[in-house]
Amino acid sequence: MKTNINRRDLLKWITGIGVTSLLGVSTFQILQDNSISDLEWNHEDFKFLNDEDQITLLVLIPAFIYGETLNTTRIKEKQLINVLFNIDFAILILPERTQDELRQLLNILNNGVGRWLLAGVWKSWSAASVQDLIEFLQLWRNSLIEILQSAYQGLHQIIIGSFYAEPDSWKTIHYPGPPDLSL
Amino acid sequence: MNIQYPNHINVAQLDSSRAFDCDVVICGTGAGGGVAAEILTQAGYKVIMLEEGPLKRSSDFDMQEKTAYATLYQEAAGRKTKDKAINILQGRAVGGSTTVNWTSSFRTPQKTLEYWSDNFHIKDILYENMEPWFIRMEQRLNISPWASPANENNTILARGAKALSLTPKVIPRNVNGCINLGYCGTGCPINAKQSMLVSTIPTALESGATLLSCCRAQKILTEKDKAIGVKAFAINKYGKLKKDIVITVHAAKVIVAGGAINSPALLLRSKLPDPYRTLGKRTFLHPVSLVTGIMPKPVNAFSGAPQSVYVDDLLWRDGVTGKVGYKLETAPMHPLLASTVFLNHGSHHYDIMQKFPYMQASLALLRDGFNDDSVGGEVTLDKYDYPVLDYPITDYIWEGIQHSWLTMTELLFAAGAKHVIPLHLDSSIYSSWDKARQAIKKLPLKKLRAQVASAHVMGGCTMGGDINNSVVDSHGRYHHVKNLFVFDGSLFPTSIGANPQLSIYALIAKLTNNLIQSDSLK
């Protein structure tokens, strides 16, 4: 399924919807209700991730990082977009062979039929609840098919690593950051 | 302390191709290339060093994982074996892995050297041959046992080891003026770590050597049966070749020192004679298993010298050629790397990350290569001419991994851990040694379920006296091409059984000296 929604509209949609109960939380309702008017998100700045990849990852990032805790936690939009930029840059510095594999994987995830084949569930990201996504990732993590296991682990490394690379994420894990050498 | 790097050219900034002439061209500036460059330059040779990574210095080292992994590591610190079952940390910058390693400096174990002498017929490789070179490099790089108190992460390893009647020992480190920051892995911001970046390379440059950074050696140039130089390309900020900027270096001698994986890859790309098909084979990793303890008090494993305690009691647990032995050490915990080793998602992952300051990280590095069931991996080239390492994890290795999980888990409970987690996708968070012992024995010994890592790459250009099972001779000379040498960790015919940097420094100092002596006899 081709998603023609642009990022700005997507963000408006995400932030415009209120918070509901855990199981009912749509994957598009996971951001803090901040103003997005100042947010600069220039899609030209992405060199590897296309529009569809960006939407796929916007859905997967919170599921990987927070999952059920989205009940009580919300991500800041700036944080989410920083993660997206980190992912884009990280992929750019990977070898071409690995880039090819990630391209294939993202194409499958972007494609409704691909998602259906992988997880046997929903056809569009907007129809997936957070719970659906957690189960989808769980299925993938424990798949008997090696390529799915390694795809889960590859996405895990790049998504989770891109999040915990950012100082914004350190407070929640009680990491003070590197020492200040100017003292 | 500001270190100068005269005679440095960042090839990424050139707008046209260039050609150079010299006596010796060295491909790679890590532990092997750095040592060779200094000794050769001081002996009067005109040396050019090629390095695919950038020149980054202490003022660039901001102690951020995000910056460091992207600029200083191979494949953004995510290099993996072919089946993706082993994650490899390897440096990619001026200084190579010595710029980002955790400073642990061990002499090559005597048993390892004996095994090489007996099984690979390497000349003059016994401990008594090597000892003067260990001493020389220990002095050069200020290597001595860490005199400050261990951080909590290492103290726990020592405490648990004693409780199990094992013998914790103090790790020698190559530091000068270390203030215990704990950020060795992101590049030392105060030049305390005596890496090649702050020692041999600036000395060589001051004495007239030239350094070309962001420059990947692509092919050894040959004429008849002789190496005559190297063809290299500039690489862009994403590490990709800029094929319009060609660097041609003509040299009387070519030294390959890109480290295991990259050195065999360069030789494979050059399509040199390899009649016995030995090139790229016997690549070793010291496969590493990991166990995390959740301690009652904060450990703050991101702070203080990352590795200062080791336990060697089990390194030869079943003799040299018996079951695989292992060395116990710790791993520093920084948020990015720590977050990626817990292979879970959602609240499971989020909850474990809440324990971040309380985590102790123990590791076992397995001594592979000393047995017919342990022949390591093989480096080949993918369709982009980029190396890929196929390293199957054999039953021999699995037995050791399971044994090491049990040892580390028992050790951590004995040291007071509240919970212990062996890094395996099917592991739980165990709260007692009894429960853990039963469960660990049932964990599937399967790739991609058990997490295996490595920070030591060795082999792939085996050194030896027999032409049919080695790539280079006892002097590091390529068997089938004249004037071509391999001077780095890819020489080792097995893994070392210890963190390899000092083994590389000492062996390459010795081989470089041999090269100079044999030249002077001509």
Side-chain angles (χ1 to χ4, degrees), chain A residues 63-64 68 86 92 94-95 97 100-101 134 138 141-142 146 149 152-153 156-157 164 166 170 172-173 175 178, chain B residues 63-64 66 75 80 84 87 183 238 240 335-336 339 342-347 353-354 382 384 425 447-449:
Chain A
F64 259 108
E68 300 88 328
N86 286 350
L92 286 172
L94 292 175
R97 177 180 78 246
D100 291 348
E101 291 166 356
I134 292 162
Q138 195 62 21
R141 177 184 187 271
N142 295 331
E146 258 173 33
Q149 278 188 52
Y152 170 89
Q153 294 179 17
H156 181 285
Q157 187 170 18
Y164 285 101
E166 287 297 319
W170 295 345
T172 61
I173 58 167
Y175 169 63
Chain B
M63 297 182 278
Q64 301 272 352
K66 179 178 157 179
E75 306 182 29
K80 290 180 198 308
K84 302 190 170 50
N87 200 87
Y183 289 77
Y238 303 122
K240 305 296 181 289
L336 194 165
S339 71
F342 294 103
L343 275 174
N344 223 321
H345 55 268
S347 59
M353 286 306 288
Q354 300 304 301
D382 68 12
Y384 298 101
L425 270 77
K447 65 178 173 183
L448 299 168
R449 302 311 290 171

Short mmCIF file of all heavy atoms in Angstrom, two decimals, chain A residues 63-64 68 86 92 94-95 97 100-101 134 138 141-142 146 149 152-153 156-157 164 166 170 172-173 175 178, chain B residues 63-64 66 75 80 84 87 183 238 240 335-336 339 342-347 353-354 382 384 425 447-449:
data_model
loop_
_atom_site.label_atom_id
_atom_site.label_comp_id
_atom_site.label_asym_id
_atom_site.label_seq_id
_atom_site.Cartn_x
_atom_site.Cartn_y
_atom_site.Cartn_z
N ALA A 63 7.59 1.59 19.39
CA ALA A 63 7.27 0.21 19.79
C ALA A 63 8.51 -0.48 20.32
O ALA A 63 8.47 -1.18 21.34
CB ALA A 63 6.70 -0.55 18.61
N PHE A 64 9.63 -0.29 19.66
CA PHE A 64 10.89 -0.87 20.11
C PHE A 64 11.28 -0.30 21.48
O PHE A 64 11.63 -1.05 22.39
CB PHE A 64 12.01 -0.56 19.11
CG PHE A 64 12.34 -1.70 18.19
CD1 PHE A 64 12.00 -1.67 16.85
CD2 PHE A 64 13.02 -2.81 18.68
CE1 PHE A 64 12.31 -2.73 16.00
CE2 PHE A 64 13.35 -3.87 17.84
CZ PHE A 64 12.99 -3.83 16.49
N GLU A 68 4.69 -1.16 25.77
CA GLU A 68 3.54 -1.00 26.67
C GLU A 68 3.66 0.23 27.56
O GLU A 68 2.65 0.76 28.03
CB GLU A 68 3.38 -2.23 27.58
CG GLU A 68 3.15 -3.56 26.85
CD GLU A 68 4.45 -4.26 26.46
OE1 GLU A 68 5.45 -3.57 26.20
OE2 GLU A 68 4.44 -5.50 26.40
N ASN A 86 19.43 10.02 13.08
CA ASN A 86 20.55 9.14 13.47
C ASN A 86 20.52 7.86 12.66
O ASN A 86 21.56 7.34 12.25
CB ASN A 86 20.48 8.79 14.96
CG ASN A 86 20.87 9.96 15.85
OD1 ASN A 86 21.37 10.96 15.37
ND2 ASN A 86 20.65 9.81 17.15
N LEU A 92 23.92 5.29 6.24
CA LEU A 92 24.81 5.82 5.19
C LEU A 92 26.25 5.36 5.37
O LEU A 92 26.98 5.22 4.39
CB LEU A 92 24.76 7.35 5.19
CG LEU A 92 23.49 7.96 4.61
CD1 LEU A 92 23.49 9.46 4.85
CD2 LEU A 92 23.38 7.66 3.13
N LEU A 94 27.17 2.50 6.68
CA LEU A 94 27.31 1.04 6.61
C LEU A 94 27.79 0.65 5.21
O LEU A 94 27.61 1.39 4.25
CB LEU A 94 25.97 0.38 6.92
CG LEU A 94 25.48 0.54 8.36
CD1 LEU A 94 24.08 -0.04 8.51
CD2 LEU A 94 26.45 -0.12 9.34
N PRO A 95 28.41 -0.53 5.09
CA PRO A 95 28.86 -0.97 3.78
C PRO A 95 27.68 -1.16 2.82
O PRO A 95 26.54 -1.39 3.26
CB PRO A 95 29.53 -2.32 4.05
CG PRO A 95 29.55 -2.52 5.50
CD PRO A 95 28.70 -1.50 6.15
N ARG A 97 26.81 -3.57 0.96
CA ARG A 97 26.12 -4.86 1.10
C ARG A 97 25.03 -4.78 2.15
O ARG A 97 23.90 -5.23 1.96
CB ARG A 97 27.15 -5.95 1.48
CG ARG A 97 26.57 -7.32 1.71
CD ARG A 97 27.65 -8.33 2.09
NE ARG A 97 28.09 -8.24 3.48
CZ ARG A 97 29.31 -7.87 3.86
NH1 ARG A 97 30.22 -7.53 2.97
NH2 ARG A 97 29.63 -7.81 5.13
N ASP A 100 22.10 -2.64 1.03
CA ASP A 100 21.20 -3.38 0.14
C ASP A 100 20.20 -4.21 0.95
O ASP A 100 19.01 -4.26 0.64
CB ASP A 100 21.99 -4.33 -0.77
CG ASP A 100 22.83 -3.59 -1.80
OD1 ASP A 100 22.63 -2.36 -1.97
OD2 ASP A 100 23.68 -4.23 -2.43
N GLU A 101 20.72 -4.86 2.01
CA GLU A 101 19.84 -5.71 2.83
C GLU A 101 18.78 -4.86 3.54
O GLU A 101 17.62 -5.25 3.63
CB GLU A 101 20.67 -6.48 3.87
CG GLU A 101 21.57 -7.54 3.26
CD GLU A 101 22.64 -8.06 4.22
OE1 GLU A 101 22.75 -7.54 5.36
OE2 GLU A 101 23.37 -8.98 3.83
N ILE A 134 3.87 -4.72 19.24
CA ILE A 134 4.70 -5.46 20.18
C ILE A 134 4.66 -6.95 19.84
O ILE A 134 5.68 -7.63 19.83
CB ILE A 134 4.22 -5.22 21.63
CG1 ILE A 134 4.51 -3.76 22.01
CG2 ILE A 134 4.91 -6.16 22.60
CD1 ILE A 134 3.72 -3.31 23.21
N GLN A 138 7.61 -9.40 18.57
CA GLN A 138 7.88 -10.62 19.33
C GLN A 138 7.93 -11.85 18.41
O GLN A 138 8.79 -12.70 18.54
CB GLN A 138 6.79 -10.78 20.41
CG GLN A 138 7.12 -11.79 21.49
CD GLN A 138 8.37 -11.41 22.28
OE1 GLN A 138 8.79 -10.26 22.31
NE2 GLN A 138 9.00 -12.40 22.91
N ARG A 141 11.14 -11.64 16.51
CA ARG A 141 12.28 -11.94 17.37
C ARG A 141 12.46 -13.44 17.56
O ARG A 141 13.56 -13.97 17.56
CB ARG A 141 12.05 -11.26 18.73
CG ARG A 141 13.11 -11.51 19.79
CD ARG A 141 12.67 -10.85 21.08
NE ARG A 141 13.69 -10.89 22.11
CZ ARG A 141 13.83 -11.88 22.99
NH1 ARG A 141 13.02 -12.92 22.96
NH2 ARG A 141 14.79 -11.82 23.89
N ASN A 142 11.35 -14.15 17.70
CA ASN A 142 11.42 -15.57 18.01
C ASN A 142 11.15 -16.46 16.80
O ASN A 142 10.93 -17.65 16.94
CB ASN A 142 10.43 -15.91 19.12
CG ASN A 142 10.81 -15.22 20.42
OD1 ASN A 142 11.99 -14.97 20.66
ND2 ASN A 142 9.84 -14.89 21.23
N GLU A 146 15.80 -17.79 10.23
CA GLU A 146 16.99 -17.04 10.65
C GLU A 146 17.02 -15.62 10.11
O GLU A 146 17.42 -14.68 10.80
CB GLU A 146 18.24 -17.77 10.17
CG GLU A 146 18.91 -18.54 11.27
CD GLU A 146 20.05 -19.38 10.74
OE1 GLU A 146 20.71 -18.96 9.77
OE2 GLU A 146 20.26 -20.49 11.28
N GLN A 149 14.98 -13.38 12.27
CA GLN A 149 15.68 -13.12 13.53
C GLN A 149 16.77 -12.08 13.35
O GLN A 149 16.90 -11.14 14.13
CB GLN A 149 16.36 -14.39 14.04
CG GLN A 149 15.45 -15.33 14.78
CD GLN A 149 16.28 -16.45 15.42
OE1 GLN A 149 17.24 -16.21 16.12
NE2 GLN A 149 15.89 -17.68 15.15
N TYR A 152 15.31 -8.62 12.76
CA TYR A 152 14.87 -8.03 14.03
C TYR A 152 16.09 -7.43 14.76
O TYR A 152 16.06 -6.31 15.24
CB TYR A 152 14.21 -9.10 14.91
CG TYR A 152 13.94 -8.63 16.34
CD1 TYR A 152 12.75 -7.99 16.67
CD2 TYR A 152 14.89 -8.84 17.35
CE1 TYR A 152 12.52 -7.55 17.97
CE2 TYR A 152 14.67 -8.40 18.65
CZ TYR A 152 13.48 -7.77 18.95
OH TYR A 152 13.26 -7.32 20.24
N GLN A 153 17.15 -8.21 14.80
CA GLN A 153 18.33 -7.76 15.55
C GLN A 153 19.00 -6.57 14.88
O GLN A 153 19.49 -5.67 15.55
CB GLN A 153 19.30 -8.94 15.73
CG GLN A 153 18.69 -10.01 16.64
CD GLN A 153 19.59 -11.22 16.85
OE1 GLN A 153 20.77 -11.18 16.60
NE2 GLN A 153 19.00 -12.31 17.33
N HIS A 156 16.77 -3.63 15.60
CA HIS A 156 16.92 -3.36 17.03
C HIS A 156 18.16 -2.50 17.27
O HIS A 156 18.11 -1.45 17.91
CB HIS A 156 17.04 -4.68 17.79
CG HIS A 156 17.18 -4.55 19.28
ND1 HIS A 156 18.37 -4.16 19.88
CD2 HIS A 156 16.31 -4.74 20.28
CE1 HIS A 156 18.21 -4.12 21.19
NE2 HIS A 156 16.96 -4.47 21.47
N GLN A 157 19.28 -2.95 16.71
CA GLN A 157 20.54 -2.26 16.95
C GLN A 157 20.48 -0.83 16.43
O GLN A 157 20.87 0.11 17.12
CB GLN A 157 21.67 -3.02 16.25
CG GLN A 157 23.05 -2.48 16.58
CD GLN A 157 24.17 -3.39 16.08
OE1 GLN A 157 23.98 -4.24 15.23
NE2 GLN A 157 25.36 -3.21 16.61
N TYR A 164 19.30 5.74 22.22
CA TYR A 164 20.14 5.90 23.43
C TYR A 164 21.46 6.64 23.13
O TYR A 164 22.23 6.92 24.04
CB TYR A 164 20.36 4.56 24.12
CG TYR A 164 19.12 4.11 24.86
CD1 TYR A 164 18.27 3.15 24.34
CD2 TYR A 164 18.77 4.71 26.07
CE1 TYR A 164 17.11 2.77 25.00
CE2 TYR A 164 17.61 4.34 26.74
CZ TYR A 164 16.79 3.37 26.20
OH TYR A 164 15.63 3.01 26.86
N GLU A 166 21.32 9.60 22.11
CA GLU A 166 20.95 11.00 22.31
C GLU A 166 20.90 11.37 23.79
O GLU A 166 20.28 10.65 24.60
CB GLU A 166 19.55 11.24 21.71
CG GLU A 166 19.55 11.28 20.21
CD GLU A 166 20.39 12.43 19.65
OE1 GLU A 166 20.33 13.55 20.20
OE2 GLU A 166 21.10 12.18 18.65
N TRP A 170 19.05 10.04 28.17
CA TRP A 170 19.90 9.59 29.28
C TRP A 170 19.26 9.76 30.65
O TRP A 170 19.54 8.99 31.57
CB TRP A 170 21.25 10.32 29.23
CG TRP A 170 22.05 9.98 28.01
CD1 TRP A 170 21.85 8.93 27.15
CD2 TRP A 170 23.19 10.68 27.50
NE1 TRP A 170 22.79 8.94 26.14
CE2 TRP A 170 23.63 10.01 26.34
CE3 TRP A 170 23.89 11.81 27.92
CZ2 TRP A 170 24.71 10.43 25.58
CZ3 TRP A 170 24.98 12.23 27.18
CH2 TRP A 170 25.38 11.54 26.01
N THR A 172 16.25 9.26 31.60
CA THR A 172 15.36 8.16 31.97
C THR A 172 16.13 6.95 32.47
O THR A 172 15.57 6.11 33.17
CB THR A 172 14.48 7.72 30.78
OG1 THR A 172 15.34 7.27 29.74
CG2 THR A 172 13.62 8.86 30.27
N ILE A 173 17.42 6.84 32.11
CA ILE A 173 18.18 5.68 32.57
C ILE A 173 19.23 6.08 33.61
O ILE A 173 20.13 5.29 33.93
CB ILE A 173 18.84 4.91 31.40
CG1 ILE A 173 19.78 5.82 30.59
CG2 ILE A 173 17.78 4.31 30.49
CD1 ILE A 173 20.69 5.05 29.64
N TYR A 175 21.74 8.08 33.57
CA TYR A 175 23.13 8.21 33.12
C TYR A 175 23.47 9.70 33.08
O TYR A 175 22.76 10.47 32.42
CB TYR A 175 23.28 7.58 31.73
CG TYR A 175 24.60 7.87 31.04
CD1 TYR A 175 25.82 7.44 31.58
CD2 TYR A 175 24.63 8.57 29.83
CE1 TYR A 175 27.02 7.70 30.93
CE2 TYR A 175 25.84 8.83 29.17
CZ TYR A 175 27.03 8.41 29.72
OH TYR A 175 28.22 8.66 29.08
N PRO A 178 28.91 12.12 29.84
CA PRO A 178 30.36 12.15 30.07
C PRO A 178 30.75 13.28 31.02
O PRO A 178 30.04 14.28 31.11
CB PRO A 178 30.94 12.42 28.68
CG PRO A 178 29.84 12.18 27.71
CD PRO A 178 28.57 12.38 28.45
N MET B 63 33.73 12.09 23.88
CA MET B 63 33.21 11.06 24.79
C MET B 63 31.75 10.69 24.50
O MET B 63 31.05 10.17 25.36
CB MET B 63 33.38 11.47 26.26
CG MET B 63 34.84 11.63 26.66
SD MET B 63 35.07 12.05 28.40
CE MET B 63 34.80 13.82 28.34
N GLN B 64 31.31 10.98 23.28
CA GLN B 64 29.96 10.61 22.86
C GLN B 64 30.05 9.36 21.97
O GLN B 64 30.78 9.36 20.98
CB GLN B 64 29.33 11.73 22.02
CG GLN B 64 29.23 13.06 22.73
CD GLN B 64 27.93 13.20 23.51
OE1 GLN B 64 27.04 12.35 23.41
NE2 GLN B 64 27.84 14.25 24.29
N LYS B 66 27.87 8.30 19.94
CA LYS B 66 27.33 8.58 18.60
C LYS B 66 28.44 9.07 17.66
O LYS B 66 28.55 8.60 16.53
CB LYS B 66 26.24 9.64 18.74
CG LYS B 66 25.59 10.09 17.47
CD LYS B 66 24.50 11.11 17.80
CE LYS B 66 24.20 12.00 16.62
NZ LYS B 66 23.14 12.98 16.91
N GLU B 75 32.38 0.04 10.15
CA GLU B 75 30.93 -0.20 9.97
C GLU B 75 30.11 0.31 11.15
O GLU B 75 29.21 -0.36 11.65
CB GLU B 75 30.65 -1.69 9.69
CG GLU B 75 31.48 -2.21 8.51
CD GLU B 75 31.22 -3.65 8.14
OE1 GLU B 75 30.10 -4.13 8.37
OE2 GLU B 75 32.14 -4.30 7.62
N LYS B 80 29.68 -7.22 11.38
CA LYS B 80 29.18 -8.52 11.80
C LYS B 80 29.77 -9.62 10.93
O LYS B 80 30.21 -9.36 9.82
CB LYS B 80 27.65 -8.56 11.67
CG LYS B 80 26.92 -7.69 12.68
CD LYS B 80 25.43 -7.80 12.48
CE LYS B 80 24.67 -6.67 13.13
NZ LYS B 80 24.96 -6.44 14.54
N LYS B 84 25.67 -12.90 10.69
CA LYS B 84 25.28 -11.85 11.64
C LYS B 84 25.21 -12.33 13.09
O LYS B 84 24.61 -11.70 13.94
CB LYS B 84 23.96 -11.21 11.21
CG LYS B 84 24.05 -10.63 9.81
CD LYS B 84 22.85 -9.80 9.47
CE LYS B 84 23.04 -9.03 8.18
NZ LYS B 84 23.51 -9.83 7.04
N ASN B 87 28.95 -9.84 16.56
CA ASN B 87 29.16 -8.40 16.35
C ASN B 87 30.62 -8.06 16.67
O ASN B 87 31.12 -8.43 17.72
CB ASN B 87 28.22 -7.62 17.26
CG ASN B 87 28.03 -6.21 16.76
OD1 ASN B 87 27.17 -5.94 15.93
ND2 ASN B 87 28.86 -5.30 17.25
N TYR B 183 36.40 6.54 29.36
CA TYR B 183 35.91 6.73 27.99
C TYR B 183 36.97 6.35 26.94
O TYR B 183 37.03 6.94 25.87
CB TYR B 183 35.41 8.17 27.81
CG TYR B 183 34.10 8.38 28.56
CD1 TYR B 183 34.08 8.56 29.93
CD2 TYR B 183 32.89 8.31 27.89
CE1 TYR B 183 32.89 8.69 30.63
CE2 TYR B 183 31.69 8.45 28.57
CZ TYR B 183 31.69 8.64 29.93
OH TYR B 183 30.51 8.77 30.60
N TYR B 238 31.17 9.10 4.26
CA TYR B 238 30.39 7.91 4.59
C TYR B 238 31.21 6.63 4.44
O TYR B 238 30.66 5.52 4.47
CB TYR B 238 29.14 7.83 3.70
CG TYR B 238 28.26 9.05 3.80
CD1 TYR B 238 27.96 9.82 2.68
CD2 TYR B 238 27.75 9.46 5.04
CE1 TYR B 238 27.16 10.95 2.78
CE2 TYR B 238 26.96 10.59 5.14
CZ TYR B 238 26.67 11.33 4.01
OH TYR B 238 25.89 12.45 4.11
N LYS B 240 32.74 5.59 1.77
CA LYS B 240 32.64 4.97 0.44
C LYS B 240 33.78 5.48 -0.45
O LYS B 240 34.23 6.62 -0.31
CB LYS B 240 31.29 5.32 -0.21
CG LYS B 240 30.07 4.94 0.64
CD LYS B 240 29.97 3.44 0.85
CE LYS B 240 28.74 3.06 1.66
NZ LYS B 240 28.84 3.46 3.09
N PRO B 335 25.61 4.03 27.33
CA PRO B 335 24.19 3.80 27.03
C PRO B 335 23.90 3.20 25.65
O PRO B 335 23.07 2.29 25.56
CB PRO B 335 23.55 5.18 27.15
CG PRO B 335 24.60 6.14 27.51
CD PRO B 335 25.88 5.41 27.75
N LEU B 336 24.57 3.68 24.61
CA LEU B 336 24.23 3.17 23.27
C LEU B 336 24.55 1.68 23.17
O LEU B 336 23.69 0.86 22.85
CB LEU B 336 25.00 3.97 22.21
CG LEU B 336 24.56 3.83 20.75
CD1 LEU B 336 25.17 4.96 19.92
CD2 LEU B 336 24.89 2.51 20.12
N SER B 339 22.39 -0.47 25.46
CA SER B 339 20.98 -0.60 25.02
C SER B 339 20.86 -1.62 23.90
O SER B 339 19.82 -2.27 23.78
CB SER B 339 20.44 0.76 24.56
OG SER B 339 21.01 1.16 23.33
N PHE B 342 20.79 -5.66 24.96
CA PHE B 342 19.57 -6.29 25.49
C PHE B 342 18.59 -6.44 24.35
O PHE B 342 17.89 -5.49 23.97
CB PHE B 342 19.00 -5.47 26.65
CG PHE B 342 19.92 -5.46 27.83
CD1 PHE B 342 20.70 -4.36 28.11
CD2 PHE B 342 20.05 -6.58 28.63
CE1 PHE B 342 21.59 -4.36 29.18
CE2 PHE B 342 20.94 -6.60 29.70
CZ PHE B 342 21.71 -5.49 29.98
N LEU B 343 18.57 -7.64 23.77
CA LEU B 343 17.82 -7.85 22.53
C LEU B 343 16.35 -8.12 22.82
O LEU B 343 15.86 -9.23 22.66
CB LEU B 343 18.45 -8.98 21.73
CG LEU B 343 19.60 -8.53 20.83
CD1 LEU B 343 20.28 -9.71 20.18
CD2 LEU B 343 19.11 -7.55 19.77
N ASN B 344 15.70 -7.06 23.26
CA ASN B 344 14.29 -7.13 23.56
C ASN B 344 13.70 -5.80 23.16
O ASN B 344 14.44 -4.87 22.83
CB ASN B 344 14.11 -7.39 25.05
CG ASN B 344 13.04 -8.42 25.28
OD1 ASN B 344 12.03 -8.41 24.58
ND2 ASN B 344 13.25 -9.31 26.23
N HIS B 345 12.40 -5.68 23.24
CA HIS B 345 11.79 -4.41 22.84
C HIS B 345 10.67 -4.07 23.82
O HIS B 345 10.31 -4.88 24.68
CB HIS B 345 11.25 -4.51 21.42
CG HIS B 345 10.30 -5.66 21.23
ND1 HIS B 345 10.73 -6.90 20.82
CD2 HIS B 345 8.97 -5.77 21.45
CE1 HIS B 345 9.68 -7.72 20.77
NE2 HIS B 345 8.61 -7.06 21.16
N GLY B 346 10.14 -2.87 23.66
CA GLY B 346 9.00 -2.47 24.48
C GLY B 346 9.35 -2.41 25.95
O GLY B 346 10.49 -2.13 26.32
N SER B 347 8.38 -2.74 26.79
CA SER B 347 8.59 -2.54 28.22
C SER B 347 9.68 -3.45 28.80
O SER B 347 10.36 -3.08 29.75
CB SER B 347 7.28 -2.74 28.99
OG SER B 347 6.81 -4.04 28.76
N MET B 353 16.59 -1.17 31.02
CA MET B 353 17.41 0.04 30.89
C MET B 353 17.31 0.92 32.13
O MET B 353 18.22 1.71 32.42
CB MET B 353 17.03 0.83 29.64
CG MET B 353 17.49 0.20 28.32
SD MET B 353 19.28 -0.17 28.24
CE MET B 353 19.97 1.48 28.10
N GLN B 354 16.21 0.79 32.88
CA GLN B 354 16.09 1.56 34.12
C GLN B 354 17.16 1.15 35.14
O GLN B 354 17.46 1.88 36.07
CB GLN B 354 14.70 1.36 34.75
CG GLN B 354 13.54 1.80 33.86
CD GLN B 354 13.69 3.25 33.44
OE1 GLN B 354 13.75 4.14 34.27
NE2 GLN B 354 13.76 3.47 32.14
N ASP B 382 32.76 -9.51 -0.99
CA ASP B 382 31.40 -9.48 -1.54
C ASP B 382 31.43 -8.85 -2.92
O ASP B 382 32.50 -8.56 -3.46
CB ASP B 382 30.44 -8.75 -0.58
CG ASP B 382 30.72 -7.26 -0.46
OD1 ASP B 382 31.49 -6.72 -1.29
OD2 ASP B 382 30.16 -6.63 0.45
N TYR B 384 30.90 -6.02 -3.84
CA TYR B 384 31.48 -4.68 -3.85
C TYR B 384 32.98 -4.70 -3.54
O TYR B 384 33.58 -3.67 -3.25
CB TYR B 384 30.77 -3.79 -2.82
CG TYR B 384 29.29 -3.59 -3.12
CD1 TYR B 384 28.32 -4.32 -2.43
CD2 TYR B 384 28.88 -2.69 -4.10
CE1 TYR B 384 26.97 -4.15 -2.71
CE2 TYR B 384 27.53 -2.51 -4.38
CZ TYR B 384 26.58 -3.25 -3.69
OH TYR B 384 25.25 -3.07 -3.95
N LEU B 425 18.80 -14.67 23.95
CA LEU B 425 17.42 -14.23 23.71
C LEU B 425 16.40 -15.03 24.51
O LEU B 425 15.30 -14.56 24.74
CB LEU B 425 17.08 -14.28 22.21
CG LEU B 425 17.39 -12.98 21.48
CD1 LEU B 425 18.88 -12.83 21.21
CD2 LEU B 425 16.60 -12.85 20.20
N LYS B 447 23.09 -20.00 17.06
CA LYS B 447 23.45 -18.65 16.62
C LYS B 447 22.20 -17.78 16.56
O LYS B 447 21.09 -18.29 16.36
CB LYS B 447 24.15 -18.68 15.26
CG LYS B 447 23.29 -19.15 14.12
CD LYS B 447 24.08 -19.09 12.82
CE LYS B 447 23.27 -19.71 11.69
NZ LYS B 447 24.00 -19.75 10.44
N LEU B 448 22.38 -16.52 16.77
CA LEU B 448 21.33 -15.50 16.81
C LEU B 448 20.41 -15.60 18.03
O LEU B 448 19.61 -14.72 18.28
CB LEU B 448 20.48 -15.48 15.53
CG LEU B 448 21.24 -15.18 14.23
CD1 LEU B 448 20.37 -15.48 13.01
CD2 LEU B 448 21.72 -13.73 14.18
N ARG B 449 20.52 -16.71 18.79
CA ARG B 449 19.81 -16.78 20.08
C ARG B 449 20.81 -16.36 21.17
O ARG B 449 20.55 -15.47 21.94
CB ARG B 449 19.26 -18.18 20.37
CG ARG B 449 18.30 -18.74 19.34
CD ARG B 449 17.20 -17.82 18.94
NE ARG B 449 16.18 -17.56 19.96
CZ ARG B 449 15.23 -16.63 19.83
NH1 ARG B 449 15.18 -15.87 18.74
NH2 ARG B 449 14.34 -16.45 20.78
#
